Amino acid sequence: MKKDIHPDYHTITIQMLDGSTYETKSTWGKEGDTLVLDVDPTTHPAWTGGNAQLTGRGGRLDKFNKRFEGMLG
């Protein structure tokens, strides 16, 4: 196995939308960094089984809809 080809694997903190946190191992960031989630398993319909719509954050779909609103009747 080649040496020095794998990224650093260290402990980081994950912060959920409700403010709760937990520690895990990751290659993201640096040791002790905090990853703040935009969407987490407690709110996303894919995990909750709900039919809730995610709020728009000004992404490409929102820009498209604003640009072409009113064209289809």
Side-chain angles (χ1 to χ4, degrees):
M1 194 155 92
K2 292 182 181 180
K3 293 184 178 192
D4 300 324
I5 63 168
H6 298 287
D8 181 35
Y9 190 62
H10 48 271
T11 303
I12 65 167
T13 302
I14 305 291
Q15 182 177 342
M16 308 286 267
L17 292 175
D18 65 359
S20 62
T21 61
Y22 66 93
E23 287 189 354
T24 188
K25 294 275 195 168
S26 176
T27 57
W28 179 86
K30 297 181 291 256
E31 179 78 29
D33 281 353
T34 299
L35 176 61
V36 180
L37 299 179
D38 290 335
V39 176
D40 66 30
T42 62
T43 59
H44 195 283
W47 288 289
T48 62
N51 294 327
Q53 294 289 323
L54 294 175
T55 58
R57 293 194 174 99
R60 289 188 292 172
L61 182 57
D62 286 336
K63 290 177 186 175
F64 177 86
N65 287 336
K66 285 179 185 176
R67 183 174 178 184
F68 296 105
E69 69 184 343
M71 287 187 74
L72 295 175

